Amino acid sequence: MITSLYEQKQKINYQISSAIQEILYKGLRVKEKSLGSLEDDVGIMLRAFQLKNIIYDYAVFITYSDLFKRFEGKVVYSLINTEKMTPEEADKYEVQIEFNF
């Protein structure tokens, strides 16, 4: 049983990070995978988390860095509706994951 918000965020973060890693590694093995399709695949996975009421809202952004020759991305998601909260209150329920590959 999850006893705190911190533990809940950690558990969901692990699940989402693992799913992102799997999507990205599989996508990189397929040469024709484009930046847009990788972003779409991550978005579809996050939508599944949303439909299961695990997260409330999300955003995905992936770019390719010519300087470092790698993809860089951010996923931001919220555990509950934070629209009517102050930024300080909302920070408790919003999570950002950054990754490079």
Side-chain angles (χ1 to χ4, degrees), residues 31-46:
K31 297 277 189 221
E32 64 271 6
K33 276 285 190 180
S34 68
L35 186 62
S37 65
L38 287 173
E39 202 169 69
D40 289 345
D41 290 348
V42 172
I44 290 167
M45 177 270 303
L46 289 168

Side-chain angles (χ1 to χ4, degrees), residues 21-74:
Q21 185 176 18
E22 186 175 332
I23 289 168
L24 298 178
Y25 284 128
K26 285 181 180 178
L28 290 177
R29 287 193 305 229
V30 179
K31 297 277 189 221
E32 64 271 6
K33 276 285 190 180
S34 68
L35 186 62
S37 65
L38 287 173
E39 202 169 69
D40 289 345
D41 290 348
V42 172
I44 290 167
M45 177 270 303
L46 289 168
R47 179 72 178 136
F49 276 84
Q50 188 180 40
L51 290 172
K52 292 181 179 180
N53 293 321
I54 295 172
I55 63 174
Y56 180 78
D57 200 8
Y58 64 89
V60 179
F61 183 69
I62 300 175
T63 61
Y64 183 77
S65 170
D66 286 325
L67 178 63
F68 297 112
K69 303 290 185 220
R70 68 181 183 199
F71 290 98
E72 299 173 345
K74 288 185 183 180

Side-chain angles (χ1 to χ4, degrees), residues 4-21:
S4 72
L5 179 60
Y6 175 78
E7 289 172 344
Q8 182 180 10
K9 285 167 75 172
Q10 290 296 98
K11 179 182 176 192
I12 294 169
N13 227 13
Y14 176 77
Q15 292 172 334
I16 289 176
S17 295
S18 296
I20 289 171
Q21 185 176 18

